[in-house]
């Protein structure tokens, strides 16, 4: 049993006692940097393009030297636990469709960064507690996947459903896990290998708003940082009401330590708190399908600002100073999370995307045309910063909340 | 909260009150036939060979009409929960290597049934509770996968590790889930489409013993039926000791309702009870690599007797009477499970493989050569039965425990 020191009781909406944030993540059993996972996989083959965003291997099936293949795995994470809570509170089954989209897009939008926009092969792995998750939830997830694939097809993007496994695993899974594996094959000379240059500009693509291919307003949240976001924002009444939605070995003070109920309205946003947090991860596939087709040989790097947020790019550069000085105004959902958690803004930028979840590194001359393509599909885009040579790697974020050095 | 009727308290080792077995499965939140999962996926495309053991689709990547592709997903199921309990009881980390093998073989040995022995692309999805599962467990699983792949390589079988996802998901996962996705590409004319014929014999391949490519005795258990096997066999002392290893919404009477501790010895077996149940799922890859190479055009069907046990073949036949009248003597692990659960033998054959986990349907003239190949690799094999034409599908099992009709 992990226990908090009694001398530091976490107070939401207060800076009276700001717990060290690393400790808070560790006490909740998550880390945004996954140090010990990385230590466990040391020594594994890094593939053909070690600096690419995904692991890229030879095309073992055809053996053709001009081609390569990627198999990518990711899922909706603990966002499924929030979907469960929201569904139980409101009876609204539709949130499960969003979970289906999350589990797909967390894969496809990593694959975009390697330069692929399909065709993709998609396989799903769902583990559920049958006592709590009935067939109607599975149907909603499956039809959500089908609808997303159909919608992408309208933009020329092929995602083929190849089957999957749904297991009854109540002894291991409290509610439900929704994961996907998505694979693709591509020409090696179309791979974006991440060779970011001094003097590159950074084009950011907004994570929020309503793209042409979205039915409703997207809060911009993605599927990262959900253990923090759920517990920091939601009201402690859910602690006793839904014990199946959190780790019973985490100290009670860290569980649902915020002030909001899922139906509460946050002043600046057009969705209730639950739906704001459950907004399906926006895909950039339709936008990037056109951009990669026209500009793949001009793009020096593409970064999916998922786990690690705006700091993610730091894994892919060396001797470069990244300056992000023209960011989007942070969408309301991130203001809500900060307000409820009291997390320092400097840290917020390393957990959440804060406004854009995809960024392209390229020469400035390409920027206007790239931004135009995004705008045409209803996705806001702009030059959010630039790179300059330096003797080591560093990142400066000049934001509406202050300037932060990393 | 699911509660048992007080009038029927489950007594292990006793037939005083045999609970309806379907009820017992349902109360534990599992089913061997997954009715409601199947209802949720009705309407999904069944692929190019609807009667094959795996879903088979066109080779979307190359578009070549002579080829097809399969993406398959499965995992170690709740066997990981038993590995956790055993590791906590004994400190023996090595059981996690077995879990890695389970999560691979539950895929590859389904793929065998479609006619594929690789090359395979392997991707893993691990969701863990970081409070309970440290990096050393992850390392053991990853090195276990690597060792298994290396061992298969010595038999000419290519399994390429393509990466994977390891997520900290303590709010959803009590201990750890270990799943894999394995894909392959193959010639369409090499697919085993399951066209089982009257007068075919059934060759069964033993699930237990020690194959040339195994380091120790294999109990034959595979990775199916583990919710039942764990709770029916293990002692109730684990109920209060390891609450993290079972679904707290299941009635206490159904949790660890057996008599055995993991270190207890079962008279007829060379392993303690824990290791008997944790025996890694045997793969038939080295055996089938040679058999499929020589006999692929003479094989009418291949069945992996996983979920559904000896009844599995019934999904793949019509107007055929399957008679299994020369089965292997049931390995000790299944006798242990039956002794502890009091389950009817008729049912045992529909949950566990009971002696052979793979069976080939072919003309009798091919049997001797096929059996010889298996024996050469230390895998016992024999003709375990035959098929005859009938006006409907049925199965007869003539076993050491009686004759059963399905």
């Amino acid at each position: 049993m992990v226990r908090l020191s009694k001398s530091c009781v976490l107070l939401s909406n207060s800076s009276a006692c700001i717990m060290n944030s690393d400790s808070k993540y560790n006490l909740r059993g998550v880390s945004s940097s996954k140090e010990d996972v990385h230590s466990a996989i040391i020594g594994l083959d890094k593939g053909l393009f070690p600096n690419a965003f995904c692991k890229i291997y030879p095309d073992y099936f055809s053996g053709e030297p001009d081609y390569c293949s990627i198999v990518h795995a990711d899922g909706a994470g603990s966002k499924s636990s929030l979907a469960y809570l929201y569904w139980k509170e409101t009876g609204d089954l539709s949130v499960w469709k969003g979970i289906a989209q999350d589990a797909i897009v967390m894969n496809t939008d990593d694959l975009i960064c390697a330069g692929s926009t399909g065709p993709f092969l998609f396989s799903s792995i769902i583990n559920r507690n049958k006592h709590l998750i009935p067939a109607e939830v599975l149907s909603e997830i499956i039809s959500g996947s089908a609808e997303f694939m159909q919608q992408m097809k309208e933009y020329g993007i092929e995602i083929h459903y190849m089957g999957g496994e749904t297991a009854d695993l109540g002894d291991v899974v409290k509610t439900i896990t929704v994961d996907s594996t998505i694979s693709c094959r591509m020409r090696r000379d179309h791979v974006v290998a991440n060779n970011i240059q001094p003097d590159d500009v950074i084009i950011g693509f907004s994570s929020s708003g309503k793209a042409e291919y979205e039915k409703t307003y997207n809060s911009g949240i993605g599927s990262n940082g959900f253990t923090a976001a759920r517990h920091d924002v939601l009201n402690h009444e859910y602690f006793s009401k839904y014990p199946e939605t959190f780790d019973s070995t985490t100290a009670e003070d860290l569980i649902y330590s915020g002030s909001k109920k899922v139906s509460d309205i946050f002043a600046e946003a057009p969705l209730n708190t639950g739906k704001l947090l459950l907004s399906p991860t926006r895909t950039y596939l339709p936008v990037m399908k056109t951009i990669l087709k026209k500009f793949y040989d001009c793009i020096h790097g593409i970064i999916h600002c998922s786990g690690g947020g705006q700091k993610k790019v730091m894994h892919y550069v060396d001797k470069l100073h990244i300056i992000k000085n023209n960011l989007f105004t942070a969408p309301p959902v991130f203001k809500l999370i900060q307000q409820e958690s009291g997390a320092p803004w400097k840290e917020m930028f390393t957990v959440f995307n804060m406004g854009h979840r995809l960024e392209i590194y390229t020469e400035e001359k390409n920027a206007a045309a790239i931004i135009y393509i995004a705008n045409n599909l209803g996705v806001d885009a702009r030059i959010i910063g630039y790179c300059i040579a330096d003797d080591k790697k560093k990142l400066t974020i000049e934001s509406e909340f202050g300037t932060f050095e990393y």
Side-chain angles (χ1 to χ4, degrees), chain A:
Chain A
M1 184 74 101
V2 178
R3 289 263 173 236
L4 273 179
S5 145
K6 286 287 168 201
S7 63
C8 183
V9 177
L10 188 74
L11 303 173
S12 65
N13 299 326
S14 160
S15 58
C17 175
I18 294 297
M19 183 185 297
N20 173 293
S21 294
D22 278 351
S23 305
K24 202 161 123 186
Y25 285 112
N26 281 326
L27 289 170
R28 280 179 176 154
V30 292
S31 67
S32 60
S33 49
K34 290 194 182 175
E35 311 76 7
D36 71 339
V37 172
H38 291 138
S39 77
I41 60 172
I42 277 174
L44 292 179
D45 180 7
K46 292 195 193 313
L48 295 172
F49 300 90
N51 206 42
F53 202 82
C54 301
K55 286 201 184 101
I56 300 175
Y57 294 99
D59 180 12
Y60 295 114
F61 290 159
S62 74
E64 287 185 50
D66 292 343
Y67 282 81
C68 56
S69 64
I70 314 178
V71 181
H72 199 277
D74 208 339
S78 65
K79 203 167 174 177
S80 63
S81 183
L82 176 58
Y84 172 85
L85 188 155
Y86 191 89
W87 164 61
K88 295 300 276 187
E89 273 295 282
T90 66
D92 181 353
L93 265 173
S94 73
V95 289
W96 294 108
K97 292 197 187 209
I99 295 298
Q101 179 170 328
D102 293 321
I104 297 176
V105 175
M106 289 302 287
N107 285 286
T108 54
D109 284 25
D110 276 1
L111 289 162
I112 283 173
C113 298
S116 173
T117 53
F120 297 118
L121 306 187
F122 156 51
S123 166
S124 93
I125 296 182
I126 297 173
N127 291 316
R128 67 159 172 170
N129 184 322
K130 192 185 175 191
H131 286 146
L132 301 176
I133 305 289
E136 59 182 351
V137 169
L138 301 180
S139 295
E140 202 71 6
I141 294 171
I142 290 166
S143 66
S145 300
E147 280 172 28
F148 181 77
M149 288 185 283
Q150 180 57 38
Q151 195 183 17
M152 289 301 104
K153 200 173 171 187
E154 291 165 19
Y155 290 86
I157 292 146
E158 282 181 50
I159 306 175
H160 299 283
Y161 178 67
M162 305 293 284
E165 168 71 359
T166 300
D168 294 338
L169 216 56
D171 280 355
V172 190
V173 172
K174 298 164 84 77
T175 50
I176 186 168
T177 61
V178 183
D179 289 303
S180 298
T181 303
I182 298 193
S183 56
C184 65
R185 173 185 188 248
M186 64 186 296
R187 290 191 59 86
R188 292 192 190 188
D189 56 4
H190 286 190
V191 167
V192 175
N194 280 331
N195 181 22
I196 296 170
Q197 301 290 322
D199 304 326
D200 276 352
V201 297
I202 312 168
I203 304 166
F205 297 82
S206 174
S207 55
S208 73
K210 187 184 156 312
E212 182 191 286
Y213 48 87
E214 288 172 328
K215 286 181 193 139
T216 52
Y217 169 81
N218 194 310
S219 75
I221 183 107
S223 303
N224 288 104
F226 262 86
T227 302
R230 288 159 49 237
H231 291 306
D232 284 335
V233 170
L234 295 184
N235 194 288
H236 201 62
E237 77 167 57
Y238 299 131
F239 175 83
S240 44
K241 206 165 174 188
Y242 300 109
E244 65 272 34
T245 63
F246 56 84
D247 183 351
S248 58
T249 64
T250 299
E252 181 176 340
D253 334 45
L254 292 171
I255 304 295
Y256 300 132
S257 51
S259 74
K260 299 290 185 199
K261 298 183 188 177
V262 291
S263 56
D264 285 351
I265 300 297
F266 182 63
E268 301 173 53
L271 300 171
N272 69 28
T273 298
K275 291 235 164 168
L276 207 57
L277 292 172
L278 282 168
S279 218
T281 309
R282 162 176 286 184
T283 183
Y284 295 98
L285 274 172
V287 173
M288 293 304 295
K289 174 93 179 172
T290 306
I291 291 174
L292 279 165
K293 194 171 173 188
K294 294 192 178 168
F295 291 95
Y296 74 87
D297 52 358
C298 314
I299 290 173
H300 298 155
I302 311 179
I303 301 296
H304 183 190
C305 307
S306 50
Q310 287 303 325
K311 209 179 149 191
K312 187 85 168 188
V313 65
M314 296 292 270
H315 295 294
Y316 302 93
V317 295
D318 196 20
K319 295 191 178 179
L320 215 55
H321 185 184
I322 312 278
I323 296 138
K324 299 186 177 181
N325 64 343
N326 187 38
L327 293 162
F328 290 96
T329 302
V333 70
F334 303 115
K335 290 178 179 159
L336 167 69
I337 293 168
Q338 195 281 332
Q339 181 180 302
E340 292 285 320
S341 66
W345 286 109
K346 181 176 180 179
E347 179 191 309
M348 288 292 292
F349 282 97
T350 68
V351 179
F352 300 100
N353 70 70
M354 299 298 285
H356 73 269
R357 231 186 66 248
L358 197 84
E359 55 194 22
I360 286 182
Y361 292 75
T362 186
E363 288 177 65
E364 187 168 7
K365 65 178 182 186
N366 307 313
I370 288 173
I371 290 168
Y372 180 80
I373 292 167
N375 291 345
N376 247 356
L377 285 162
V379 173
D380 204 358
R382 66 207 278 185
I383 295 178
I384 59 95
Y386 58 98
C387 311
I388 52 175
D390 204 293
D391 56 354
K392 56 183 195 306
K393 67 176 165 188
K394 54 187 182 183
L395 167 67
T396 300
I397 288 180
E398 297 175 18
S399 78
E400 60 192 301
F401 311 110
T403 296
F404 310 113
E405 305 288 345
Y406 303 85

